[in-house]
Every structure is written in structure tokens, then in C-alpha cells.
Amino acid sequence: MWVISRKRKVLVTGANKGIGYAIVKGLCERFDGDVYLTSRDPVKGQEAVTKLKALGLNPLFHQLDITDQISIDNFKKFIKEEYGGIDILINNAGVYANQSLTMGEQAEYNVNVNYFGTLNLSSALFPLLRNNAHVVNVTSSVGRLQRIPSMDIQKKFKEPDLTIENLSKLMKEYIKTAKENRHVEEGWGSNAYGVSKVGLTALTMLQQKFFDQQYSNKNLSINAVHPGWIQTDMNKTATTSPENGAKSSLFAALDSNVKGQYIWNDCRIVDWAGPLPQRM
């Protein structure tokens, strides 16, 4: 007879280094249950787990590539069979495309991973969320809507009847525009990473609406978090540690009861469509 573990479970994507690694470390120190560190590269993932175990912590590992549907499906099958459900999901996996690529290539790479990869994983795992589960999407300060210059495009992101399907079409439209080198002319700006994170933040708000409509009895929450300007492979000149970058994610996952919000790196709730928040 197959026995499903009822232990509480948390998953962190893209967690073999940087902010993801720091999030796993913080969760292992505070969360009462199994903490899974996932990464695309199994060798790097296992090395990260070994480092954390040397600190007296006990994370578990599973391979997961959010851009590979087979990897997503295998991971979902494992979670469903072993645990039956998820208590916390932290979507940290993301990329910053090399600036030497053409803008079309940057747009496609950033959006396909940061937006569509997160969307595809979420679509697979959301049915496994247990009552009172928390989901965290790690976005960025450039995930604020005002980072897109065109007011007309901003309005499309803020339409009250916007659906996830239409948001995805908008993100594909951006990729097409960038490939045709019309992105600046059309008002998207010149930061492909920023557009991908705007899309992710907007997706977060729509996913909360989905929870409220489809799982109203489960009390599910999802929030977008800005980790700050953190020392990672993406930001080698930054001065803030990954441990500080993990604070907003840990707050959203463990300490907050808000839903469908944009959480700043100091754990303030801010308006994702508003101006840059002032430093405290």
C-alpha cells in the first residue's frame, strides 16, 4: 500500500545559489517540515544541499527545470505521490539574459524563463496546494509597472478584466516587437528583464484572483516580492547579501497574511503600479 507523507512541505525553485539558496537556509532554520531545494543542474543542487547540511540544516533535493515540461511533470508526480500536497511554493528561478544578445533574443529568453517558466510550473503545482498554502513569486524593483514607458501598454496590464491568457498574449506580443526591433518605438522600453518581471508581477495579481475564484474554500495566498539589489551572478556589483535578499520572501512565506500584493525588500506592501517607494 502506498503511504503518502502528511509532513508539511515547502519548495524553492532555482535554489542552488544566491537568493534561492539563502531562502532555503532561512526556511530550514524556521519551517517545521521538509524543505526542498530544487535546481536545474542536479550536481550543483546536491552541492548546495551538502553545504547546508554542513551547517547543521537538513534540506532535501530534487531536480527541476522550469523551462522543461517533462521535468515539471516528473516533479509534480513525485510531489503528489510522496506528499500529496504543498504548503509553500517559492518561485525564485529566473534569468537575466546576456546583454551581448540581440534585444529579440534577450526578450525571448527572459520572458520564456521568468514569465512562462513560472506560469507553467505554477499551473502544474497549484492543484496540489493544501489549505492555507502560501505562494511567493520573486520579482524585482523593475517589476513595477511604471518601468514600461508607454501609458497605453501600462493600461493593458491594469485592465480589470485582464486574464492570464490575455496577459500571456501580451508577453508574446512584446517578444515579437523586440524581435522586429520595434520595442522602444512601441513604448516597451529597452530592458527585456524588466518587462519579464513586470509580466511576472502582473501574473501574481491574476493568480490571486484565480485562487479566490477557483479555490475560495482553501484560503490560498500568492504575493510578488522584491528582494533588493543583491549580490548574485546577475548583480555582481551589488553590496547587499543574499541573506538580506531572502527576507521579503521569508516574510511572505511565513509571516504575512496578505494576498495578491507586491512586497518590497524591507517587507513593506507597496503599489506595483505606483512610483518607486521612498527609502525608510
Side-chain angles (χ1 to χ4, degrees):
M1 180 180 177
W2 192 268
V3 178
I4 295 176
S5 171
R6 298 304 301 175
K7 288 186 70 174
R8 298 179 71 212
K9 179 173 180 57
V10 57
L11 316 172
V12 185
T13 68
N16 63 281
K17 59 183 179 180
I19 297 169
Y21 178 89
I23 292 171
V24 170
K25 181 175 180 292
L27 287 166
C28 286
E29 293 169 343
R30 295 186 54 194
F31 182 73
D32 181 20
D34 287 344
V35 179
Y36 267 83
L37 182 157
T38 74
S39 72
R40 179 176 54 185
D41 186 325
V43 174
K44 293 179 179 178
Q46 292 286 7
E47 288 174 349
V49 166
T50 299
K51 285 172 59 179
L52 289 166
K53 287 188 175 181
L55 299 176
L57 304 174
N58 192 34
L60 300 169
F61 174 75
H62 200 286
Q63 190 276 340
L64 175 62
D65 181 350
I66 67 170
T67 66
D68 181 350
Q69 192 61 48
I70 293 176
S71 177
I72 290 174
D73 292 341
N74 287 340
F75 185 61
K76 177 182 180 179
K77 183 174 184 289
F78 167 77
I79 296 302
K80 186 174 182 179
E81 292 180 350
E82 291 291 324
Y83 291 87
I86 303 166
D87 296 283
I88 298 174
L89 169 63
I90 300 183
N91 287 312
N92 170 72
V95 297
Y96 191 110
N98 193 306
Q99 300 297 287
S100 66
L101 298 173
T102 68
M103 185 54 65
E105 291 169 334
Q106 290 181 46
E108 187 166 46
Y109 185 45
N110 281 314
V111 173
N112 281 346
V113 178
N114 299 338
Y115 176 82
F116 284 107
T118 302
L119 172 59
N120 291 339
L121 177 67
S122 298
S123 298
L125 297 185
F126 280 176
L128 301 183
L129 293 175
R130 291 175 175 153
N131 291 350
N132 307 308
H134 288 202
V135 181
V136 180
N137 288 340
V138 179
T139 181
S140 167
S141 63
V142 295
R144 293 181 300 108
L145 187 56
Q146 288 194 0
R147 292 302 295 258
I148 293 180
S150 168
M151 294 297 293
D152 289 337
I153 295 176
Q154 288 185 28
K155 288 178 182 178
K156 292 180 180 179
F157 279 97
K158 292 194 296 183
E159 288 179 357
D161 58 349
L162 182 66
T163 63
I164 293 176
E165 180 182 5
N166 287 337
L167 175 60
S168 295
K169 289 179 180 178
L170 187 59
M171 299 306 290
K172 289 178 181 178
E173 177 186 319
Y174 163 66
I175 294 174
K176 181 176 184 294
T177 301
K179 285 184 173 181
E180 295 172 353
N181 203 30
R182 295 185 293 107
H183 52 286
V184 174
E185 173 189 344
E186 294 292 332
W188 287 97
S190 57
N191 189 332
Y193 174 77
V195 175
S196 74
K197 290 298 189 176
V198 169
L200 179 59
T201 309
L203 175 65
T204 305
M205 311 307 166
L206 296 178
Q207 287 176 326
Q208 184 63 61
K209 289 183 180 180
F210 172 77
F211 286 165
D212 295 342
Q213 293 169 357
Q214 300 297 321
Y215 300 105
S216 58
N217 62 327
K218 298 187 72 171
N219 190 35
L220 303 179
S221 70
I222 182 167
N223 294 286
V225 303
H226 161 48
W229 197 48
I230 308 301
Q231 294 172 343
T232 67
D233 289 347
M234 296 182 189
N235 297 315
K236 294 183 179 180
T237 60
T239 56
T240 306
S241 70
E243 285 72 25
N244 278 330
K247 287 181 178 179
S248 55
S249 292
L250 294 172
F251 171 77
L254 301 174
D255 303 318
S256 172
N257 291 317
V258 300
K259 297 181 178 182
Q261 299 296 324
Y262 181 45
I263 301 175
W264 206 240
N265 62 310
D266 58 8
C267 301
R268 279 183 292 164
I269 310 301
V270 301
D271 180 4
W272 84 285
L276 182 69
Q278 297 296 313
R279 290 186 178 182
M280 297 294 287

